[in-house]
Amino acid sequence: MATFTPYEVSIILSRLSGEKADRFQKEVLYPQLARTMRISGTSSQEVREALADAYYAFRAMLGYYAFAKRGNDRAEYSAFALQALDRTLKGKKENFSTLLASGSAPQQLWEAFVQVCQENQRKVNEQLNRELIEGLAEFATRIYQEDEIGNIWTTIHQAIVRSGRVEPIYQQITEIRGIGPKVGSLLLRDMVALYELEPSIDAADYHYLQPVDTWIRRIGPMLTDELNNDSADWIIAGKLSKLCRRNRVSGVRFNQGVQYLAIVEVRKLEQLKDYLRQLAQSTPA
């Protein structure tokens, strides 16, 4: 049985998809993407402009999204991967096209990553990391062979805009070696939010934009009695997407709002229920 009444649920969804999503984007997503890409601006427009460049887009994919579900190892391995990229490019952004054109980008990037790990006396963790690093480089290389640009981000974005569908590109992303469903959904969620594409996407695909983590899994049964603690991830994603639609709020922004609670405003999962109760009873600032 859901913890909150339908009226309380509508307020919670509105608050999470409103101010909390705004704060996630402005305080977390844009600054972290900007830092990963090494650009000074942190506005949505400046982030979009940077992602239109193949080199910056690859830095974002490698340094922000690739290791997103690695827990405590995320920051360290992301930093090592970016150092490996810099080393492979000899510190020059303009060498990125040359790297992709070489046909050996996956091998070069992996070898540089191994060197960086060894120099920092950290485990290479080949079983988890090799497929991920080589897989992203292979994907960028394939795109480069088709358009001589090799921008992973804009290729995905344009595919969504052209078709109004997410499922085909989701399947393509999750086929990249080392990229799983959760990272695929996370990437697509942020992209759709950044370009405000959600209204133009087929609602049948909305569940692909709802990455399910521990916090989403916990909040689901509190908001709807159609979910319980044993519900599968794909069911949680689908039910929450429909719940957001019924309440006329953005599903991607709701998900981002929950992430803001997880990493900034609440942090402790056991405090989530009480926090949501207060949220339902409070007046927006």
Side-chain angles (χ1 to χ4, degrees), residues 36 59-70 73-85 113 129 132:
T36 300
R59 285 190 67 91
M61 294 291 294
L62 187 64
Y64 186 76
Y65 289 104
F67 298 91
K69 296 302 179 182
R70 288 296 178 83
D73 292 332
R74 176 185 181 178
E76 186 171 59
Y77 279 127
S78 294
F80 290 168
L82 291 175
Q83 289 177 45
L85 178 63
F113 180 81
N129 293 332
L132 179 58

Side-chain angles (χ1 to χ4, degrees), residues 232-252:
D233 285 1
W234 66 273
I235 293 177
I236 294 172
K239 295 297 185 182
L240 289 178
S241 295
K242 290 180 181 178
L243 183 66
C244 288
R245 290 210 313 279
R246 286 201 301 268
N247 284 272
R248 300 188 178 187
V249 301
S250 163
V252 297

Side-chain angles (χ1 to χ4, degrees), residues 24-34 64-65 190 256:
F24 171 76
Q25 292 173 4
K26 294 174 182 177
E27 297 175 20
V28 179
L29 180 61
Y30 301 155
Q32 289 189 5
L33 280 173
Y64 186 76
Y65 289 104
D190 290 346
Q256 289 182 329

Side-chain angles (χ1 to χ4, degrees), residues 9 15 26 44-45 60 71 102 119 162 183 197 229 242 249:
V9 168
R15 298 290 299 278
K26 294 174 182 177
S44 59
Q45 181 60 33
S102 71
E119 289 168 6
R162 282 196 303 268
V183 173
L197 298 175
N229 294 333
K242 290 180 181 178
V249 301

Side-chain angles (χ1 to χ4, degrees), residues 93-114:
K93 171 181 178 292
E94 55 269 24
N95 287 339
F96 185 65
S97 293
T98 304
L99 174 66
L100 297 184
S102 71
S104 61
Q107 180 182 356
Q108 290 188 56
L109 192 57
W110 171 248
E111 290 175 352
F113 180 81
V114 171

